[in-house]
Amino acid sequence: MGATTYAKELSPIESLKRKIVEEGIVLGDQVLKVDSFLNHRVDPVLMAEIGDTFARLFAESGVVKVLTIESSGIAPALMTALRLNVPLIFARKRKSLTLQSDLYTEKAYSFTKREENEITVSKRFIKAGDRVLIVDDFLANGQAALALARIVEQAGAEVAGIGIVIEKSFQSGRQQLLEAGYRVESLARIASLEDGTIRFAD
Ligand code: G4P
């Protein structure tokens, strides 16, 4: 119940865009609420399609691990990891009981939430030489993705690419990630949310 069956002819990207148009709620000019299928209730059929799409896009990238950040990145990242047949690791925002010295730690400032998160990943789970695909639900100012990339690099591993479900192209994230030299694949790119209307970039 709650999962949608899509007409066969819709591509995964079209399915995602249709969901955004039909169920997205625009808050001001900056925020798109999608808690009916991505951020609170989760649509497993759509997540599987997203996983298929990222797996196809990064099939030749030698990915050995997928990395995301809790909580809303986990669903699309898990489906991507399943399709690539590699493990998923999610960075934690809460302090764990593990010794600080066993963790990679980075700070990620959230402009949306106006708070700084300290994010951590156990050193046991990313190793030097790993090629790591970063997946996240939203790209706004890029701070979460950049913090994840710094963790990958702290480990002596390599960022194989960055997969984003919904990019807000009117914010600086994409530019920042491209300038840092990463390959960015966003499934839905939103050019503007002005006047309560969702306009896609392509
Ligand atoms: P950034 O990483 O790209 O700089 O984004 P920012 O810090 O501004 O975003 C902070 C949180 O808000 C992230 O989730 C991000 O996914 C989410 N977010 C940003 N813009 C939007 C938006 O327009 N709509 C929705 N629905 N979310 C947005 P988070 O704090 O990690 O939350 P969660 O993953 O625990 O749900």
Side-chain angles (χ1 to χ4, degrees):
M1 206 174 72
T4 316
T5 311
Y6 298 102
K8 281 274 180 292
E9 64 272 16
L10 279 190
S11 75
I13 291 176
E14 286 166 338
S15 301
L16 171 64
K17 284 178 157 179
R18 176 182 281 198
K19 277 287 231 199
I20 291 171
V21 169
E22 288 179 352
E23 299 183 23
I25 299 167
V26 179
L27 299 178
D29 286 349
Q30 300 283 312
V31 174
L32 176 69
K33 202 169 149 90
V34 286
D35 61 355
S36 69
F37 63 90
L38 184 57
N39 291 142
H40 194 14
R41 182 171 67 174
V42 176
D43 183 333
V45 174
L46 184 63
M47 294 306 122
E49 294 187 339
I50 287 168
D52 283 344
T53 307
F54 283 139
R56 205 161 10 83
L57 287 167
F58 292 101
E60 309 301 323
S61 300
V63 175
V64 300
K65 282 163 193 171
V66 174
L67 176 65
T68 189
I69 179 166
E70 64 175 350
S71 53
S72 299
I74 294 176
L78 177 64
M79 295 314 296
T80 306
L82 178 69
R83 294 301 193 245
L84 286 170
N85 198 25
V86 300
L88 163 71
I89 299 143
F90 63 88
R92 295 184 155 172
K93 290 179 192 159
R94 280 167 285 277
K95 294 255 182 296
S96 91
L97 296 176
T98 318
L99 286 176
Q100 226 28 46
S101 60
D102 297 335
L103 299 172
Y104 296 116
T105 301
E106 282 289 341
K107 289 190 185 346
Y109 180 76
S110 166
F111 292 96
T112 307
K113 297 193 172 166
R114 293 199 179 82
E115 65 185 20
E116 190 161 76
N117 281 310
E118 194 165 73
I119 68 168
T120 59
V121 173
S122 168
K123 289 183 179 171
R124 289 160 57 218
F125 299 135
I126 304 184
K127 296 292 179 197
D130 284 349
R131 286 185 58 79
V132 179
L133 173 63
I134 293 172
V135 170
D136 209 357
D137 57 332
F138 263 90
L139 177 61
N141 293 293
Q143 296 307 300
L146 285 169
L148 291 173
R150 288 194 300 269
I151 282 181
V152 171
E153 284 157 9
Q154 270 192 53
E158 247 183 292
V159 176
I162 300 178
I164 299 292
V165 180
I166 302 177
E167 171 189 309
K168 293 191 291 183
S169 309
F170 54 89
Q171 292 182 284
S172 66
R174 182 185 189 82
Q175 192 57 31
Q176 298 217 36
L177 298 181
L178 293 179
E179 278 170 13
Y182 302 119
R183 174 182 169 199
V184 181
E185 297 286 352
S186 302
L187 303 187
R189 300 184 62 201
I190 293 175
S192 151
L193 295 172
E194 280 167 27
D195 307 320
T197 304
I198 301 164
R199 291 187 184 82
F200 290 102
D202 31 44

